[in-house]
Amino acid sequence: MRLPDGHRPVTEEVILGDCFRCDRGALQVVRVGELVGPRGEAPLYACRACTERLTAMHHHTHETPVRPYAAADAPTDPR
């Protein structure tokens, strides 16, 4: 499974499993994160199509924030 250039999953391991986003099963998935709660954590696995969609959503959010005023108050990179 290839991800968009410059993006890496939480783990490199590709397994056969269920995608948390599209609810399809028996797909090649990679671990993309986890849900953490007071009783433990649950790993999140996503298929290639959903991983690409999540990456696109991430880029879109950074390019056009829903609340532009929030970006104005965000700390800047001191470099």
Side-chain angles (χ1 to χ4, degrees):
M1 175 187 291
R2 265 182 64 80
L3 297 175
D5 292 336
H7 297 280
R8 303 178 70 83
V10 173
T11 64
E12 294 287 332
E13 183 180 2
V14 177
I15 64 170
L16 198 60
D18 299 338
C19 177
F20 87 96
R21 188 166 184 272
C22 66
D23 290 329
R24 293 184 298 159
L27 299 170
Q28 288 184 345
V29 293
V30 292
R31 186 172 178 174
V32 294
E34 60 274 328
L35 291 175
V36 178
R39 296 186 181 163
E41 69 179 46
L44 296 176
Y45 290 90
C47 66
R48 180 177 50 89
C50 289
T51 301
E52 289 174 358
R53 179 67 182 132
L54 290 167
T55 301
M57 290 168 59
H58 169 78
H59 287 298
H60 177 74
T61 299
H62 282 279
E63 292 168 3
T64 56
V66 174
R67 299 172 298 199
Y69 61 86
D73 294 336
T76 58
D77 189 2
R79 290 186 266 169

